[in-house]
Amino acid sequence: MTDRPLSRPVRKAVLPVAGLGTRLLPATKSIPKEMVTVVDRPAIQWVVDEAREAGIEHFVFVTGRGKQAIEDHFDRAYELEDTLKRRGKTALLERLLDDLLPPGQCSFVRQQEPLGLGHAVWCARDVIGDEPFALLLPDMLVQGTPGCLRQMMDIYAKTGGNLIAVDEVPREEVHKYGVVGIDEDQTVGRAMRITEMVEKPDPQEAPSTFIISGRYILQPEIFALIEKTEPGAGGEIQITDAMRALLRDQPFWAVPYEGITHDCGSPLGFLKTNLAFAMDDPELAPALREFFEGFGKSGS
Ligand code: G1P
């Protein structure tokens, strides 16, 4: 049992981006899935923006082979910037500069083998050090105002400990996710105390229909527990199994946030994500709505 406060500020975030993106092949054969376009920017930029809005100062990307485009995206592009400046494209230039991460406030570590999400998070341990951190799974894009992680930070200010954003799904779908069991009598605002967790359970055995939706706030004690975690569901080292071990010592809270989560890692999910985010854009929404109203009529 730790005797340190479990409410220290969350300054750093881990973004696991080593995955191969097989569900989006062949589109992702030579570009990282995190770089596919959602409306007008790479998917990863939306996730970074959600984290920035929540006050995250340092971003730790856990990358793998072939992911250099992500690093380049967050770096200065001197020739491009100079060309835009000379052409008087000031607004576009400012947009590019806004997307950059501050110097020295992003780190890239490699997950050398695809051993699972838990292992990917563990690869960030030296950069995170001994402080709580946010974990954002970049396949999941959340529409919400404020963003999901901001909502979680507000709850963390009251609960401390460990937080997991949850969504409810039909019982027959829980086998695709991590699932938490909750005590609905122990609440802080919208947050509910977690009593158990299991990765990809059989629907009949799942402790609830609240699934882990891809945003977490975790205390650093998780790292030592990941080291002791044996491969679990799918033969991979699962973060859910390490969290279940930490649950013996520290409180975990399930956060049903306000917003909609989209899985943009599959072709259908990716299309839906694009449409949903485009419908949030006041410049694109009217034209898109008109396009769909005419869709299917007169051979269009
Ligand atoms: C991961 C997590 C799982 C979570 C899911 C959300 O699974 O292990 O607990 O519910 O992300 O998308 P994966 O999708 O990598 O199999």
Side-chain angles (χ1 to χ4, degrees), residues 117 137 140 176-178 199-200 212-214 216 238-240:
L117 178 58
L137 307 189
M140 310 307 269
K176 298 185 219 159
Y177 302 98
E199 183 67 18
K200 308 212 167 68
I212 297 173
S213 76
Y216 315 67
Q238 297 289 352
I239 191 74
T240 307

Side-chain angles (χ1 to χ4, degrees), residues 40-52:
D40 59 354
R41 68 196 84 161
I44 190 72
Q45 184 75 50
W46 292 95
V47 183
V48 163
D49 287 351
E50 180 190 333
R52 287 206 289 203

Side-chain angles (χ1 to χ4, degrees), residues 103-115:
Q105 288 179 227
C106 51
S107 305
F108 295 83
V109 297
R110 281 221 176 180
Q111 184 189 26
Q112 293 155 320
E113 294 174 83
L115 299 180

Side-chain angles (χ1 to χ4, degrees), residues 8-66:
R8 292 176 298 158
V10 180
R11 300 186 311 115
K12 296 179 181 172
V14 174
L15 298 101
V17 294
L20 291 175
T22 43
R23 290 185 299 160
L24 283 183
L25 279 170
T28 49
K29 185 177 170 191
S30 65
I31 57 162
K33 62 175 170 167
E34 297 79 11
M35 292 302 294
V36 296
T37 316
V38 173
V39 185
D40 59 354
R41 68 196 84 161
I44 190 72
Q45 184 75 50
W46 292 95
V47 183
V48 163
D49 287 351
E50 180 190 333
R52 287 206 289 203
E53 182 204 18
I56 294 298
E57 295 165 11
H58 191 118
F59 295 79
V60 188
F61 295 87
V62 181
T63 73
R65 293 178 69 78

